[in-house]
């Protein structure tokens, strides 16, 4: 901090430096950058220098001295005394030089006694300077990567908006076709939703739920469903006017959401253990849905083949039939299934064995359900934290595969569902689920 004063010619001539404690503090902090101990010492040095300054200046410069600051502003705010860099006569210069020598002598004698570690400050802060430098380098690298990533993301969005690049104009790649795997695909058809079949599906869900909780009556369940519909209809349906009639697909999706939300609320209120309930509920709902499917397509009723190879082939065929049934009833728009290779089937049928151990590889394939009409209800229920949601395709396929392996207690069927947006877009805000992918794994214990 530098202060230039317009002093009277007969008093002082030359430049003036305000040597305040702030200067001392900043100088030592910049010179010995890094250590906490050093910062504490610099603050104490500044306080000591201020005290020595006040003592010596009060002796060297009385209030009526020419070297005292005579301005009213300085007197009002008690500004520190001002050191002249050059004086008007030799007497004044001798007084100032004597005062400076006293301050330097007292500071030199006091500081080593009060802070014996000050002599080692340079050694201590050498490592601190290196840590500070490396920390700055790492911070710069991270910030640079963030900036580059942000620029790359903005360019990708710009390219998507204006269709830049030839790859963006190519048709979408199929999820199941990755790796050159063979697949079975059904053509997309505009089937009308079967309202009666959908109503039977919801009734089957109610009956399976009540069978798992005998303490809950059917009237109470339906009453809760009606209250939930009235409560959430306005927020669930994104329309400007509630008088507009819903399409059959939207109405079925809303009914699924209402029913399964009531199921989850009852489970929470009754303090029901969910893992045990889920296993029991899925076992009942699979059988009920499969009985409804048999009424619509009698070819689903097959006897379990004796050979394991025929069981695998029957399982793939019944999977296709169930997917076709869902498509004809308007619940999905299309489907596609990966076809396991002959080698995978052969490894599953003929397990590897040795003297010490025996391993049986799993048979895995996938079924993609496009345009599922219950997608919104499934996603919304899971976003709200509910773990029970409508997954009719998963339940039907699982029961159909189990029917092919009836009598084989060593075979277990596990199905996991995933959600995909089949259209590529770099903007995550435009993500829209369009496909439910069922990962089917047949295991033999």
């Amino acid at each position: 901090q530098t202060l230039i004063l317009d002093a009277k010619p007969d008093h002082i001539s030359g430049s003036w430096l305000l040597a305040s404690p702030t200067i001392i503090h900043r100088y030592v902090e910049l010179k010995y950058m890094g250590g906490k101990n050093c910062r504490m010492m610099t603050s104490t040095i500044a306080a000591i220098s201020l005290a020595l300054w006040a003592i010596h200046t009060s002796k060297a410069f009385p209030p009526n001295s020419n070297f005292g600051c005579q301005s009213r502003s300085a007197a009002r705010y008690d500004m520190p005394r001002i050191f002249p860099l050059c004086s008007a006569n030799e007497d004044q210069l001798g007084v100032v030089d004597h005062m400076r020598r006293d301050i330097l002598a007292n500071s030199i004698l006091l500081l080593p006694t009060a802070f014996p570690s000050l002599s080692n400050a340079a050694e201590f802060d050498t490592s601190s300077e290196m840590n500070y430098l490396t920390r700055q380098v790492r911070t710069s690298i991270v910030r640079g990567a963030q900036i580059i990533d942000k620029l790359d993301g903005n360019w990708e969005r710009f390219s998507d908006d204006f269709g830049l690049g030839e790859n963006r104009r190519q048709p979408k790649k199929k999820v199941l076709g990755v790796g050159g795997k063979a697949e079975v695909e059904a053509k997309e058809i505009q089937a009308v939703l079967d309202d009666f079949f959908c109503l039977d599906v919801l009734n089957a869900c109610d009956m399976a739920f009540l069978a798992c909780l005998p303490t809950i009556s059917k009237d109470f369940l339906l009453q809760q469903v009606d209250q939930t519909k009235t409560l959430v209809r306005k927020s669930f349906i994104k329309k400007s006017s509630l008088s507009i009639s819903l399409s059959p697909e939207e109405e079925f999706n809303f009914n699924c959401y209402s029913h399964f939300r009531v199921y989850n609320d009852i489970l929470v209120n009754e303090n029901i253990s969910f893992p045990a309930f889920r296993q029991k509920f899925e076992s009942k709902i699979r059988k009920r849905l499969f009985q409804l499917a048999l009424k619509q397509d009698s070819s689903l009723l097959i006897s379990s083949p004796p050979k394991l190879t025929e069981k695998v082939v029957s399982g793939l065929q019944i999977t296709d039939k169930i997917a076709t049934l869902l498509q004809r009833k308007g619940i999905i728009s299309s489907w596609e299934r990966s076809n396991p290779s002959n080698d995978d089937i052969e490894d599953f049928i003929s397990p590897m064995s040795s003297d010490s151990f025996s391993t049986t590889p799993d048979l895995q394939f996938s079924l993609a359900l496009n345009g599922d009409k219950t997608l919104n209800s499934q996603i919304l229920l899971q976003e709200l934290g509910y773990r029970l949601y409508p997954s009719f395709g998963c339940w039907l396929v699982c029961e159909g595969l189990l029917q092919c392996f009836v009598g084989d207690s060593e075979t277990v069927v596990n199905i996991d569902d995933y959600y995909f947006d089949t259209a590529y877009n770099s903007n995550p805000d435009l993500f829209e689920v369009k496909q439910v992918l069922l990962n089917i794994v047949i295991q033999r214990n």
Side-chain angles (χ1 to χ4, degrees):
Q1 298 179 3
T2 304
L3 177 64
I4 305 299
L5 298 179
D6 294 331
K8 295 181 179 180
D10 57 340
H11 286 175
I12 300 173
S13 62
S15 302
W16 294 77
L17 174 66
L18 177 63
S20 68
T22 306
I23 295 178
I24 302 174
H25 178 79
R26 293 300 303 167
Y27 171 75
V28 180
E29 186 178 5
L30 291 174
K31 184 173 181 60
Y32 303 105
M33 186 179 300
K36 297 182 180 178
N37 297 334
C38 187
R39 289 195 177 95
M40 296 173 60
M41 288 188 290
T42 55
S43 302
T44 310
I45 291 172
I48 294 175
S49 62
L50 179 59
L52 294 174
W53 196 351
I55 295 174
H56 285 277
T57 52
S58 63
K59 295 179 180 178
F61 301 102
N64 56 356
S65 173
N66 291 335
F67 293 95
C69 185
Q70 302 296 329
S71 64
R72 293 182 179 180
S73 61
R76 184 183 302 113
Y77 295 105
D78 297 330
M79 290 182 63
R81 301 297 181 176
I82 300 179
F83 292 0
L85 299 181
C86 59
S87 56
N89 50 58
E90 294 180 357
D91 294 337
Q92 295 171 349
L93 180 61
V95 173
V96 173
D97 291 341
H98 178 71
M99 185 224 20
R100 287 178 177 174
R101 284 193 296 270
D102 291 341
I103 293 178
L104 292 175
N106 293 332
S107 300
I108 293 173
L109 293 174
L110 179 62
L111 292 179
T113 305
F115 303 100
S117 61
L118 184 61
S119 59
N120 299 328
E123 297 179 1
F124 175 79
D125 291 299
T126 301
S127 61
S128 300
E129 291 178 0
M130 183 59 66
N131 292 336
Y132 175 80
L133 178 61
T134 56
R135 184 167 60 253
Q136 291 297 325
V137 171
R138 292 195 301 267
T139 303
S140 301
I141 293 175
V142 173
R143 290 179 179 176
Q146 291 175 347
I147 293 174
I148 295 299
D149 184 69
K150 185 177 181 180
L151 292 176
D152 182 69
N154 293 335
W155 175 254
E156 285 291 331
R157 295 187 183 185
F158 177 81
S159 301
D160 290 339
D161 294 339
F162 293 94
L164 303 180
E166 297 180 357
N167 292 332
R168 288 181 171 82
R169 291 190 289 269
Q170 294 179 356
K172 73 176 183 69
K173 295 182 179 180
K174 299 176 182 179
V175 178
L176 302 183
V178 177
K181 294 183 179 180
E183 62 182 271
V184 179
E185 182 181 4
K187 295 182 179 180
E188 184 173 355
I189 60 176
Q190 298 295 331
V192 180
L193 186 68
D194 192 340
D195 296 335
F196 296 101
F197 180 77
C198 294
L199 182 61
D200 293 337
V201 169
L202 289 177
N203 291 333
C205 294
D206 292 342
M207 299 305 296
F209 181 80
L210 294 175
C212 297
L213 295 179
T215 58
I216 305 299
S217 63
K218 184 177 180 180
D219 295 337
F220 175 79
L221 178 63
L222 296 179
Q223 181 181 1
Q224 294 296 317
V225 171
D226 293 337
Q227 292 179 359
T228 302
K229 288 182 179 180
T230 305
L231 179 64
V232 304
R233 187 179 186 87
K234 186 176 181 180
S235 59
F236 184 85
I237 301 173
K238 299 179 180 179
K239 287 186 177 295
S240 58
S241 177
L242 296 179
S243 60
I244 301 178
S245 59
L246 298 178
S247 63
E249 293 80 5
E250 294 174 336
E251 190 68 33
F252 175 60
N253 183 41
F254 175 67
N255 290 333
C256 291
Y257 172 78
S258 302
H259 280 255
F260 279 84
R261 177 166 179 170
V262 171
Y263 300 162
N264 287 277
D265 290 339
I266 293 177
L267 294 177
V268 174
N269 296 333
E270 298 293 332
N271 295 324
I272 304 299
S273 176
F274 183 76
F277 171 83
R278 182 175 185 175
Q279 183 178 4
K280 187 177 180 180
F281 174 78
E282 290 184 350
S283 176
K284 294 182 177 299
I285 190 60
R286 289 198 306 260
K287 291 181 172 57
R288 291 180 179 273
L289 291 179
F290 193 75
Q291 292 298 324
L292 290 177
L294 288 176
K295 295 180 180 179
Q296 304 296 328
D297 187 359
S298 58
S299 63
L300 294 174
L301 181 60
I302 58 175
S303 59
S304 179
K307 296 183 179 180
L308 187 58
T309 305
E310 298 176 352
K311 292 182 179 180
V312 173
V313 175
S314 299
L316 296 176
Q317 294 176 353
I318 201 170
T319 301
D320 296 344
K321 292 180 180 180
I322 291 175
T324 303
L325 175 64
L326 294 175
Q327 184 181 18
R328 288 193 292 105
K329 295 301 179 181
I331 297 179
I332 62 174
S333 58
S334 63
W335 60 272
E336 49 189 302
R337 175 183 60 79
S338 64
N339 198 19
S341 62
N342 294 330
D343 293 337
D344 294 339
I345 298 177
E346 185 66 24
D347 294 339
F348 176 76
I349 297 174
S350 302
M352 298 177 58
S353 61
S354 63
D355 296 337
S356 58
F357 63 92
S358 176
T359 59
T360 302
D362 301 333
L363 182 62
Q364 180 177 350
F365 62 97
S366 301
L367 176 66
L369 304 177
N370 301 316
D372 193 339
K373 301 305 184 294
T374 63
L375 268 179
N376 292 336
S377 61
Q378 294 182 41
I379 296 174
L380 183 56
L381 287 169
Q382 294 180 71
E383 288 179 349
L384 294 176
Y386 296 126
R387 293 181 288 177
L388 187 63
Y389 52 91
S391 185
F392 305 128
C394 176
W395 294 333
L396 276 172
V397 171
C398 183
E399 183 63 24
L401 291 174
L402 290 177
Q403 293 295 326
C404 296
F405 291 90
V406 171
D408 190 354
S409 58
E410 297 180 353
T411 303
V412 180
V413 177
N414 293 322
I415 301 179
D416 296 323
D417 50 358
Y418 303 91
Y419 301 95
F420 284 92
D421 184 1
T422 55
Y424 169 78
N425 197 300
S426 60
N427 189 354
D429 297 334
L430 300 180
F431 177 80
E432 182 181 1
V433 177
K434 300 176 182 178
Q435 182 183 93
V436 180
L437 182 66
L438 302 181
N439 184 44
I440 306 169
V441 179
I442 304 177
Q443 300 176 342
R444 295 189 63 197
N445 298 327

